[in-house]
Amino acid sequence: AHGSDATLAYHGGSRSSFSLNLSGSGFVGGTATEPTENPVTNDEADGSVAVVQGNEQEQVGPDCTVNFCENDLASGFLQKYKINVPEGQNAANCEGCSITMELIFEGEAWLSIAFSEDGKMIGSEAVIGIPGSIPQKYMLGGYDVSVIQLMPEEQQTLTDAGITVNEDGQTVMAFTKLMSEPGEIEIVYGENRFLWAHGNDATLAHHGNNRAAFSLDLAAAGAAVAEEEVTDPTDPSVEVEEDSVNVPDAIQDPSGGQDCTVNFCENDLASGFLQKYKINVPEGQNAANCEGCSITMELIFEGEAWLSIAFSEDGKMIGSEAVIGIPGSIPQKYMLGGYDVSVIQLMPEEQQTLTDASITATNGQTIMKFTKLMSEPGEIEILFGDNEFLWAHGSDATLAYHGGSRSSFSLNLSGSGFVGGTATEPTENPVTNDEADGSVAVVQGNEQEQVGPDCTVNFC
């Protein structure tokens, strides 16, 4: 986008989205490059890509496995990249392929390129370079610098990594990264979601508007890029993936009409796994618009195991924030950076704000308790309304992959109850609390209709 003058204002029609194929098929304004079923050949003489059309070859662009390709991220910010294919491999189905990137910025600043599954910052994984240090890999847990987590030492696998400020005043960051690494977002030979950002100087801080998401297709020009097939979950012939969640036919109201700001409400997460919760409203506040509200949770599991409850913006594990309890220790807050235990990151000490946190294993039951502020800086907010949560537990007390022992679910803390795997539809009607019986009533004109418990009074 650009303006009509030097004053930042609405851009009008002076903007567009675009897709870019990193293998050399070039720039496409506003739409993704259409895949083709024609095979691709590489002309080693000039490093270009040719698409076979019958017995003819049509020249369509450079091959980014031979030479560096370039992409203008923004004015004064250039990206160069090349795919490195080991001998005996091919880029489309490669073991050990890596990508070399070089970012060139006009000025002195920290630089970042991130790899994402959905084009959003939270949950993505980044290479960040700060002049005077070596670029490293980070997990982006939120918009605040305090939740930008350095990945563990064993994941710091970049090679030829460096960042310098040259004589021309340019900041240049370069590195080589394996495209597929255990427990990390894969860079694929096809469509990818990336994000870039830079600072105003060499001190890592909030980037302001100096950032954007973009798509790049690394597949060779003309190579077929198969879209992921969308299946109908109601079709009995479709095999349901392990990650699928069974959605009940109707909203479950686990608390039976009580007010969860007064008493604990209950929710059966799974067979032998019970959740109890209560919203704590400070005196002089109301749950719907509250400063300092907290939620107390109790998880009761039949067996001895580690337990987890996570808070999410989209119902997905990656990018969510969890309270994890391991028998023999105190429950703490973690950032869920991926499916591997190695990328489950303990939040910094200043974010360990849980109170009354404990986990015990007695009489064949594991019980985890804690109280958490519903709104905390730089963290996913727990709302007095629709929330996306996830639960998980282990097969024993050692933190490890949960297998099938997990699910996402939606919970409306204003009292409309529990929905497995989908969000409860919000209502535009105001909510009132009936102190007599602790239930929630929705105002319909001058009438009140009972719709469910108030989870600021009791645990739902």
Side-chain angles (χ1 to χ4, degrees):
H2 66 77
S4 54
D5 57 28
T7 302
L8 183 63
Y10 183 63
H11 46 56
S14 305
R15 86 284 179 265
S16 181
S17 64
F18 65 96
S19 297
L20 192 65
N21 187 310
L22 293 183
S23 65
S25 56
F27 170 89
V28 181
T31 183
T33 306
E34 287 297 320
T36 172
E37 297 181 356
N38 297 309
V40 174
T41 63
N42 291 340
D43 185 345
E44 296 181 1
D46 62 2
S48 61
V49 175
V51 178
V52 177
Q53 302 282 359
N55 293 323
E56 300 295 325
Q57 288 190 354
E58 178 188 356
Q59 200 69 29
V60 294
D63 183 350
C64 304
T65 65
V66 176
N67 300 313
F68 275 79
C69 295
E70 297 185 357
N71 174 31
D72 285 309
L73 297 176
S75 177
F77 198 13
L78 176 68
Q79 177 193 33
K80 300 172 70 174
Y81 49 90
K82 178 179 176 289
I83 298 174
N84 311 299
V85 183
E87 188 174 355
Q89 298 281 335
N90 67 82
N93 188 18
C94 181
E95 292 185 9
C97 274
S98 63
I99 186 166
T100 298
M101 288 196 187
E102 185 174 333
L103 302 180
I104 304 171
F105 177 72
E106 298 295 331
E108 182 175 354
W110 62 262
L111 307 179
S112 172
I113 189 80
F115 318 110
S116 172
E117 291 184 320
D118 56 9
K120 298 178 181 178
M121 174 184 170
I122 295 178
S124 62
E125 300 163 1
V127 174
I128 300 176
I130 304 168
S133 63
I134 298 173
Q136 291 185 287
K137 292 159 63 179
Y138 293 78
M139 179 68 215
L140 305 186
Y143 303 110
D144 192 82
V145 175
S146 65
V147 289
I148 306 302
Q149 303 289 320
L150 184 67
M151 288 189 180
E153 184 62 32
E154 60 270 19
Q155 289 182 263
Q156 297 299 338
T157 54
L158 300 179
T159 56
D160 302 321
I163 182 168
T164 60
V165 180
N166 63 26
E167 295 178 352
D168 296 326
Q170 296 176 320
T171 303
V172 181
M173 178 171 77
F175 64 88
T176 296
K177 183 188 182 303
L178 289 168
M179 294 173 68
S180 178
E181 301 190 72
E184 297 183 21
I185 295 171
E186 185 175 4
I187 302 172
V188 299
Y189 192 68
E191 291 284 345
N192 293 272
R193 296 287 188 88
F194 294 157
L195 305 96
W196 62 261
H198 65 76
N200 294 317
D201 53 35
T203 302
L204 186 62
H206 189 257
H207 46 58
N209 288 323
N210 302 320
R211 85 286 180 263
F214 63 103
S215 297
L216 283 171
D217 189 338
L218 294 179
V225 181
E227 294 291 333
E228 202 170 306
E229 185 179 270
V230 179
T231 56
D232 181 0
T234 63
D235 184 348
S237 67
V238 175
E239 182 178 352
V240 179
E241 293 290 335
E242 185 182 46
D243 282 338
S244 298
V245 179
N246 292 325
V247 181
D249 292 333
I251 294 175
Q252 300 177 24
D253 185 354
S255 54
Q258 55 187 330
D259 184 344
C260 305
T261 65
V262 175
N263 299 312
F264 276 76
C265 296
E266 296 185 356
N267 174 31
D268 285 309
L269 298 175
S271 177
F273 197 13
L274 176 68
Q275 177 194 33
K276 299 172 70 177
Y277 52 93
K278 176 178 177 291
I279 296 176
N280 311 300
V281 183
E283 188 174 356
Q285 297 282 332
N286 67 83
N289 187 17
C290 182
E291 289 185 11
C293 275
S294 63
I295 186 167
T296 297
M297 287 198 186
E298 183 175 335
L299 302 181
I300 304 171
F301 177 72
E302 298 298 326
E304 183 174 351
W306 62 263
L307 307 179
S308 173
I309 190 81
F311 319 110
S312 173
E313 291 185 321
D314 56 10
K316 296 179 181 179
M317 173 184 172
I318 295 177
S320 63
E321 299 163 0
V323 174
I324 301 177
I326 304 169
S329 63
I330 297 174
Q332 290 184 288
K333 291 157 65 179
Y334 294 78
M335 180 67 215
L336 306 186
Y339 302 111
D340 192 83
V341 175
S342 65
V343 290
I344 306 302
Q345 303 289 320
L346 184 67
M347 287 188 181
E349 183 63 31
E350 59 268 21
Q351 289 182 263
Q352 298 299 337
T353 53
L354 300 179
T355 56
D356 303 320
S358 66
I359 183 167
T360 58
T362 55
N363 300 322
Q365 285 185 328
T366 303
I367 301 175
M368 179 171 76
K369 301 177 182 179
F370 64 88
T371 297
K372 182 187 182 303
L373 288 168
M374 294 174 68
S375 178
E376 301 190 71
E379 297 183 22
I380 295 170
E381 186 174 3
I382 301 171
L383 303 171
F384 189 68
D386 289 316
N387 294 273
E388 297 288 338
F389 294 157
L390 304 96
W391 62 261
H393 65 77
S395 54
D396 55 33
T398 302
L399 186 62
Y401 182 59
H402 47 56
S405 303
R406 84 283 179 269
S407 183
S408 63
F409 65 100
S410 296
L411 192 63
N412 188 309
L413 294 181
S414 66
S416 54
F418 168 89
V419 181
T422 184
T424 306
E425 287 298 319
T427 174
E428 296 180 359
N429 298 308
V431 175
T432 62
N433 292 338
D434 185 345
E435 295 180 1
D437 63 1
S439 59
V440 174
V442 177
V443 177
Q444 303 281 1
N446 293 322
E447 301 294 324
Q448 288 191 355
E449 177 190 356
Q450 197 71 29
V451 294
D454 182 350
C455 306
T456 67
V457 176
N458 299 316
F459 275 78
C460 296

